[in-house]
Amino acid sequence: MVNFIKQNKLILLYGISLALLLFSLKWLEMRLLVINHTFEIYIGAIAILFTGLGIWLALKLINPKIETVVVEKSVYVQASGFSINEAELMKVGLSNRELEVLQLIAEGLSNQEIASRLFVSLNTVKTHSSKVLEKLDVKRRTQAIEKAKRLSLIP
């Protein structure tokens, strides 16, 4: 190995000097490239930053953390011999037809199905439904059913 270095000392010296020269030329070229194309480099860096941010955000939105919440709610169970609480019925002020509509709502029927079962128009059912919600002081049909069961107006 030592003999090889002595014989090719001149070649190695030329090789090292050419490598240093090439390195310095590339360094100068890179320096001039950075100086001449600063704006493009900044734009490219911002593009890479926003691309990475977009990928991260997409992964977060695709796999959201799902948290299960258990809500305990008391359920009112009536005995098999159901009787309407007349005092509450009078207090609430529901008519017989409104009580019928409320019972059909509790069965899960739509307004159209209630109208066909009671042989009335769809607008009449909507009017009765809105009056039931108003008299029971609730906003949704499910709330009306829950309150009516709690007051023993429906089974």
Side-chain angles (χ1 to χ4, degrees):
M1 182 76 175
V2 175
N3 198 13
F4 176 75
I5 293 176
K6 285 182 182 181
Q7 289 177 355
N8 297 318
K9 193 176 198 181
L10 190 59
I11 295 174
L12 287 174
L13 187 61
Y14 281 130
I16 291 172
S17 63
L18 284 176
L20 288 174
L21 183 61
L22 182 64
F23 176 75
S24 61
L25 286 174
K26 284 295 181 182
W27 180 76
L28 285 173
E29 181 185 357
M30 183 60 114
R31 190 164 172 227
L32 290 175
L33 180 73
V34 169
I35 291 172
N36 290 337
H37 300 288
T38 305
F39 183 72
E40 289 84 0
I41 291 172
Y42 285 137
I43 295 294
I46 291 171
I48 290 171
L49 176 74
F50 278 103
T51 301
L53 182 65
I55 291 170
W56 174 78
L57 185 62
L59 291 175
K60 285 293 183 181
L61 291 177
I62 289 174
N63 299 323
K65 292 182 180 178
I66 298 174
E67 185 176 325
T68 303
V69 178
V70 178
V71 177
E72 292 186 18
K73 193 172 186 181
S74 30
V75 178
Y76 300 98
V77 178
Q78 298 293 330
S80 60
F82 174 76
S83 62
I84 295 177
N85 187 347
E86 295 292 333
E88 286 295 331
L89 184 61
M90 291 302 217
K91 187 176 174 183
V92 171
L94 288 177
S95 68
N96 289 337
R97 188 56 117 181
E98 291 168 345
L99 185 61
E100 280 181 285
V101 169
L102 180 61
Q103 289 171 341
L104 294 174
I105 288 173
E107 288 180 22
L109 299 179
S110 67
N111 286 343
Q112 185 64 46
E113 293 168 332
I114 294 171
S116 64
R117 187 172 293 185
L118 296 179
F119 302 106
V120 294
S121 73
L122 182 61
N123 287 333
T124 304
V125 173
K126 289 180 181 179
T127 303
H128 287 313
S129 297
S130 65
K131 290 291 184 181
V132 167
L133 296 179
E134 182 182 318
K135 289 180 180 179
L136 289 176
D137 192 30
V138 294
K139 294 183 180 180
R140 294 181 185 83
R141 292 165 68 121
T142 54
Q143 293 172 335
I145 294 166
E146 181 184 347
K147 189 168 184 178
K149 286 183 178 184
R150 196 170 359 107
L151 297 176
S152 297
L153 299 178
I154 57 174

